[in-house]
Amino acid sequence: MRNRADGRSVLVVAGGRLERLNRPQLAAALRTAIAGGAADVEVDIGRATLIHPAIVRALLDARELAAAHRCRFRVRDPTGLPARVLELTGTRATLCGRTTSHR
């Protein structure tokens, strides 16, 4: 996992095996970006080789936190396995679609 900040925009890149044990690390990175005053937080899971449902839950929780902080949040629309996991969980449109801006 790595963070890239560009002004008030933050890109969180999470790849490899995104297992339940990785959830606290991902959740903390997203909370830090959102609570730290970012206007936009984007998550790239395109290089994930496994995505546990706990990771999907962490992404949904971060989306809710972002809305409370008036921060735009989205997951970059993935392909392959990450896309399939989001499709199967019914979260692709919610996480990858356009979110309503509160600004």
Side-chain angles (χ1 to χ4, degrees):
M1 228 176 297
R2 70 180 191 265
N3 272 342
R4 247 186 358 221
D6 176 18
R8 292 192 34 155
S9 296
V10 176
L11 171 64
V12 177
V13 179
R17 295 177 60 89
L18 301 179
E19 301 180 72
R20 183 182 335 159
L21 296 174
N22 303 115
R23 184 183 195 278
Q25 183 183 5
L26 176 62
L30 295 172
R31 272 193 313 272
T32 297
I34 294 164
D40 298 281
V41 174
E42 188 173 39
V43 183
D44 182 351
I45 58 169
R47 294 185 192 109
T49 57
L50 176 113
I51 300 176
H52 189 276
I55 297 298
V56 176
R57 181 75 252 163
L59 294 171
L60 291 168
D61 291 347
R63 183 177 182 273
E64 290 178 20
L65 180 64
H69 280 81
R70 297 178 170 224
C71 171
R72 286 179 294 275
F73 178 89
R74 79 175 193 95
V75 174
R76 283 189 178 173
D77 201 15
T79 59
L81 176 69
R84 182 148 168 76
V85 169
L86 295 184
E87 286 290 335
L88 289 171
T89 58
T91 59
R92 188 171 185 170
T94 299
L95 291 172
C96 301
R98 295 185 147 226
T99 58
T100 303
S101 173
H102 297 282
R103 293 192 174 238

